[in-house]
Amino acid sequence: MTDTTTTTPRTTGASTPVFTGTATPVRHRGPILLVEPSPAEPPPGFVRDEYLHLWSIDRPRSEVWQWLCDPATFIDGQIPPFRVEFLSDAAGRSGFHEGVYNAHVGPLMSFSGVLGEIDEEKYRDLQYFYGSYAVSHALFRPVRLQFWLDEVDPNTTLLRLQLDTFVRARALGVWHRLMGVFWKRFGRWCEKAIPNNWLR
């Protein structure tokens, strides 16, 4: 058996580390790169799909926004092993703030990204990292999830969604069917979570 001890380098002069004894070189810690969350163009064999959905929510815009930007909306209803996480941004904030890392993981899915522009009661952006996938990375790769809120009247909100995804060209029809099923109940889920005025 060989026992190797790693020692701390002794620095001579300005920048050259000198190792004494048996040592493992210290890994260089370079700057963290500022990179786009996902490539701008789909890889070969994929097409960029924009899935659009529109709901008319019979609730005030301020309350729909509060529901849409409450981490509990997406965390509390998860059934293990599915999980939603929010990691703090550079300022130490979590939840729905620009720069906060978000991950939604579970069997056959991994959506990891960073929250982009957030315009109070109007717009919310989530940009996914390369490597995020649904079902298989060889089939469906989400790129960006955006929501817009418009006030129709004081008690009605128009909620618009756009999900950009790199989709294997031959699986585009399957993806649209899956999205239709997945997002169908989103509007009813929102209305059910926000009580009517007469119930308050």
Side-chain angles (χ1 to χ4, degrees):
M1 182 178 87
T2 311
D3 188 10
T4 305
T5 304
T6 302
T7 60
T8 304
R10 173 173 52 84
T11 303
T12 59
S15 61
T16 307
V18 177
F19 293 92
T20 58
T22 304
T24 302
V26 175
R27 176 178 288 178
H28 175 68
R29 293 178 182 246
I32 295 175
L33 300 179
L34 299 177
V35 298
E36 295 295 328
S38 184
E41 298 299 326
F46 285 77
V47 295
R48 187 186 192 103
D49 178 67
E50 294 180 355
Y51 175 80
L52 307 173
H53 206 118
L54 184 68
W55 301 270
S56 179
I57 310 294
D58 293 331
R59 302 291 186 271
R61 180 169 68 172
S62 61
E63 297 185 15
V64 174
W65 176 260
Q66 184 178 1
W67 176 84
L68 187 66
C69 292
D70 183 355
T73 297
F74 303 94
I75 293 173
D76 291 352
Q78 295 300 308
I79 301 172
F82 292 95
R83 182 178 177 86
V84 177
E85 298 176 344
F86 292 84
L87 300 181
S88 300
D89 65 5
R93 299 174 303 175
S94 186
F96 285 96
H97 296 281
E98 294 178 10
V100 168
Y101 289 95
N102 175 261
H104 190 175
V105 297
L108 302 178
M109 60 170 288
S110 178
F111 302 158
S112 298
V114 61
L115 288 161
E117 179 184 348
I118 296 178
D119 188 0
E120 188 76 14
E121 295 190 10
K122 295 179 180 178
Y123 175 75
R124 199 191 82 195
D125 181 27
L126 174 58
Q127 299 180 30
Y128 293 113
F129 297 125
Y130 181 77
S132 294
Y133 72 92
V135 183
S136 168
H137 194 251
L139 292 174
F140 312 118
R141 306 178 183 183
V143 175
R144 191 173 192 180
L145 176 63
Q146 300 173 87
F147 287 98
W148 291 263
L149 284 79
D150 296 297
E151 184 177 270
V152 177
D153 59 51
N155 293 308
T156 308
T157 303
L158 199 63
L159 177 61
R160 292 184 292 136
L161 166 145
Q162 179 175 321
L163 174 62
D164 296 0
T165 309
F166 294 158
V167 179
R168 183 71 69 177
R170 66 177 183 270
L172 197 55
V174 173
W175 178 246
H176 285 174
R177 288 193 293 274
L178 286 172
M179 290 298 93
V181 171
F182 182 82
W183 290 107
K184 184 177 181 180
R185 61 179 290 271
F186 195 75
R188 291 197 303 272
W189 180 26
C190 177
E191 286 187 350
K192 186 177 179 181
I194 305 171
N196 283 316
N197 287 328
W198 66 272
L199 290 176
R200 295 176 190 166

